[in-house]
Amino acid sequence: MFQSDRAQVGPECAASLGLVMSPLPSPSASETPLRVRFAPSPTGFFHVGGARTALYNWLLAKRLGGTFILRIEDTDAERNREEWVQGIHDALAWIGIGPGLGVDYEVYRQSEFEVDHVRAAHQLLGARRAYYCACTREQLDTRNEAAGRKQGGYDGHCREKGLAVAPAYVVRFKVPRPGVTVVNDVIRGEPAFDHANVDDFVLLRGNGTPMFLLANVVDDMSMGVTLVIRAEEHLTNTPKQQLLWQALDAPYLPTWAHVPVLVNEKRQKLSKRRDPVAMEMYRDEGYLPEAMKNYLMLLGWSPGNDAEIMEWSLVESLFSLDEVNSSPAFFDVKKLRAFNADYIRALPQAEFVERWHEWLAAHPQPWEYRADQFGDIAPFVQLRAEVLGDIPAVVDFLFGDVTPSDADWDKAMKPPADAILTSVIDSYDACSWDIDVLKAELEHIGDTHGLKLGKIQAPVRLAITGKLVGPPLFESLHVLGRERAVGRLKAARARL
Ligand code: GLU
């Protein structure tokens, strides 16, 4: 199914990527297009860093007419879950990656190719590029301790023993010694790895199952991957994997691109236990996918002119790995929120309402929604909401009962709140129900109490909306209507 001999970054592709050709070019290189892959493991929520890697892959495939391969690396049966597999498809679809979107899209499950992985290990055994190793973890630990090798590792104990297969023996790759492996990384140049620091790593576990390093290479080779864009944390795997490509007689080597690690405000690598990294969470909170995509793209990449908020078509035409830098990128949730607020404000109002309705349909609220009433207040909500999930707390006063917190109540309902509410009830019972009139009436009542509008609004706002902050008061009153507004003012006064 896969033809690795036709899969090589051609010279035109290479030039536009800023790639140095790999040292083992395929003869048919010039005719063959780019093949990239995104290879997530379905072991948890979909990480924002994974989304960025997927976008980088996708954009290059799109621009260069290449193929985007989604390979679900599902070989860790204990940690995989089907719901995470679905989560990967859903999160990718949310950011515009999937079949039928103008890019050749292939999907595979790594577990389907286990036979190939094991066969590759046996090929290496046959070529004496790998060997059986009988050392147990305990034996290794004991030897490492005795030799003062604090970082652990493997000392090559079984390398020259020529052991035959036996239950529980692992298969290790024989790293050529001495030696140096230079990898061709579009983002990092040509880092060199001295084999003195590369242990003979395990290819097959004692139970015969393949390890990640092997499975990942065998699949990349058979799927004809020409450019591997992935997280920086895999950089130390790369010399080992490149050695495997060579030992398995690949007709070419892929080019690599290790994208910078994402860090939090303390410059710590984002951790799924500590930091908000799940794409699903951002979708649930009501981030717009276009804001999310735009923000993710800028984590490590800049089009070089300080532009930040950009039309996606511009991102598509400008993105290049050449401008991705290698230093850690700060994943700044505050900035992402501000981005999202900008995106929300920029939507045509009808579309804003549509997006809000979509979000609402997926996140039912404990009140009965009325689109006509929302329409009246939509412009104000749109100006203020940073994420769609902010909206329920701002508009719930329209659709459900108001229940102010005790702390807000004590703050807003200090004397002369009683007298203020009485005057407001009298006035609002009779005045015309017009935004300007409602405001002028309250200003006037403020004058008689020696209070500025800002101050006098507090008890009224709390009675009407149940909160001290929210959409503009007079518009809210207007939308709510006289009967409900005055009823709420009376209920608050009765509680005082
Ligand atoms: N399954 C690996 C991961 O999720 C992918 C490694 C790679 O992209 O090569 O980290």
Side-chain angles (χ1 to χ4, degrees):
M1 173 174 15
F2 312 115
Q3 296 179 325
S4 53
D5 64 344
R6 66 172 177 83
Q8 172 72 36
V9 177
E12 319 87 77
C13 289
S16 61
L17 281 166
L19 303 183
V20 182
M21 292 298 283
S22 53
L24 292 174
S26 128
S28 56
S30 56
E31 284 98 51
T32 49
L34 180 77
R35 286 176 66 84
V36 291
R37 92 309 195 257
F38 175 55
S41 304
T43 54
F45 286 116
F46 192 81
H47 195 288
V48 287
R52 178 194 52 176
T53 302
L55 284 170
Y56 284 7
N57 274 293
W58 176 261
L59 286 175
L60 288 178
K62 180 152 195 195
R63 220 198 30 265
L64 301 171
T67 298
F68 179 99
I69 297 164
L70 170 63
R71 185 173 70 234
I72 308 278
E73 299 211 322
D74 59 345
T75 44
D76 186 344
E78 274 171 22
R79 293 172 64 221
N80 292 329
R81 282 207 246 140
E82 261 336 279
E83 69 196 82
W84 304 132
V85 175
Q86 191 54 45
I88 292 168
H89 291 294
D90 292 348
L92 289 176
W94 187 56
I95 54 172
I97 296 178
L101 296 169
V103 174
D104 282 340
Y105 196 77
E106 296 177 5
V107 183
Y108 303 102
R109 293 269 194 141
Q110 184 158 67
S111 54
E112 290 166 18
F113 305 110
E114 189 171 325
V115 174
D116 299 331
H117 309 150
V118 174
R119 191 186 302 123
H122 285 277
Q123 181 187 330
L124 293 170
L125 282 165
R128 302 194 183 286
R129 304 298 305 268
Y131 59 92
Y132 287 104
C133 167
C135 301
T136 63
R137 173 107 309 258
E138 293 69 36
Q139 290 167 338
L140 266 177
D141 289 347
T142 310
R143 289 204 304 271
N144 282 335
E145 205 174 311
R149 277 192 299 268
K150 289 213 179 59
Q151 73 285 17
Y154 180 67
D155 56 4
H157 189 260
C158 298
R159 182 176 163 111
E160 305 301 343
K161 285 193 173 162
L163 294 177
V165 58
Y169 284 10
V170 302
V171 174
R172 287 185 185 273
F173 182 70
K174 206 172 203 177
V175 174
R177 306 191 186 284
V180 173
T181 287
V182 177
V183 306
N184 175 9
D185 188 305
V186 196
I187 298 170
R188 277 148 223 281
E190 300 194 328
F193 299 85
D194 188 332
H195 296 186
N197 304 317
V198 183
D199 284 343
D200 286 356
F201 53 93
V202 175
L203 301 173
L204 296 183
R205 298 183 186 87
N207 63 7
T209 58
M211 293 287 281
F212 157 74
L213 288 171
L214 175 68
N216 187 264
V217 166
V218 171
D219 291 347
D220 280 348
M221 279 177 61
S222 63
M223 294 176 191
V225 170
T226 55
L227 169 66
V228 176
I229 305 175
R230 62 179 178 179
E232 179 180 351
E233 66 197 76
H234 287 293
L235 184 60
T236 51
N237 292 327
T238 308
K240 298 177 189 169
Q241 295 196 294
Q242 187 161 295
L243 284 168
L244 281 177
W245 276 75
Q246 286 165 321
L248 289 166
D249 299 325
Y252 70 94
L253 288 177
T255 301
W256 309 86
H258 289 90
V259 300
V261 68
L262 301 184
V263 296
N264 65 18
E265 68 283 355
K266 293 185 186 139
R267 312 300 289 171
Q268 297 161 318
K269 185 179 161 199
L270 286 193
S271 124
K272 61 179 171 191
R273 259 158 244 100
R274 185 188 48 222
D275 302 300
V277 297
M279 288 292 279
E280 290 87 341
M281 187 202 80
Y282 289 98
R283 190 180 51 200
D284 275 351
E285 285 185 14
Y287 283 80
L288 304 183
E290 55 269 46
M292 193 77 200
K293 280 160 67 170
N294 187 163
Y295 183 68
L296 288 173
M297 284 306 295
L298 301 175
L299 298 171
W301 172 69
S302 143
N305 55 3
D306 289 339
E308 290 206 309
I309 294 199
M310 277 176 276
E311 286 285 333
W312 192 247
S313 54
L314 192 64
V315 174
E316 285 185 339
S317 64
L318 290 180
F319 178 66
S320 140
L321 283 177
D322 286 338
E323 285 141 3
V324 174
N325 70 53
S326 58
S327 32
F330 174 27
F331 182 71
D332 183 350
V333 182
K334 285 200 191 92
K335 185 161 176 182
L336 169 59
R337 238 184 127 79
F339 252 62
N340 202 63
D342 278 348
Y343 267 90
I344 287 182
R345 277 196 293 273
L347 291 174
Q349 193 186 313
E351 197 180 333
F352 163 67
V353 173
E354 201 179 307
R355 304 290 280 271
W356 149 245
H357 285 171
E358 276 165 23
W359 185 90
L360 187 62
H363 301 84
Q365 301 296 316
W367 24 259
E368 201 161 326
Y369 178 71
R370 285 190 43 191
D372 56 340
Q373 292 202 333
F374 182 79
D376 290 336
I377 209 166
F380 311 105
V381 177
Q382 186 176 2
L383 278 180
R384 284 170 176 75
E386 292 183 332
V387 296
L388 298 173
D390 284 347
I391 300 176
V394 178
V395 302
D396 57 359
F397 77 95
L398 267 179
F399 308 114
D401 295 334
V402 295
T403 40
S405 72
D406 289 345
D408 284 350
W409 183 268
D410 294 344
K411 207 149 120 201
M413 293 300 182
K414 291 203 244 332
D418 198 346
I420 293 171
L421 289 178
T422 302
S423 313
V424 177
I425 291 165
D426 289 346
S427 147
Y428 283 3
D429 239 343
C431 72
S432 78
W433 204 251
D434 180 271
I435 293 173
D436 294 338
V437 175
L438 292 167
K439 182 173 179 206
E441 289 288 314
L442 194 62
E443 262 165 354
H444 176 68
I445 296 167
D447 290 344
T448 63
H449 288 276
L451 289 172
K452 291 233 162 53
L453 190 59
K455 277 262 188 259
I456 199 161
Q457 279 194 36
V460 180
R461 178 184 284 286
L462 196 69
I464 295 296
T465 67
K467 297 190 190 73
L468 290 177
V469 286
L473 178 61
F474 304 105
E475 283 78 358
S476 305
L477 281 162
H478 187 252
V479 178
L480 196 61
R482 187 196 309 273
E483 198 181 317
R484 291 168 80 198
V486 172
R488 285 184 190 183
L489 292 166
K490 285 184 178 164
R493 189 182 52 184
R495 185 180 155 185
L496 271 169

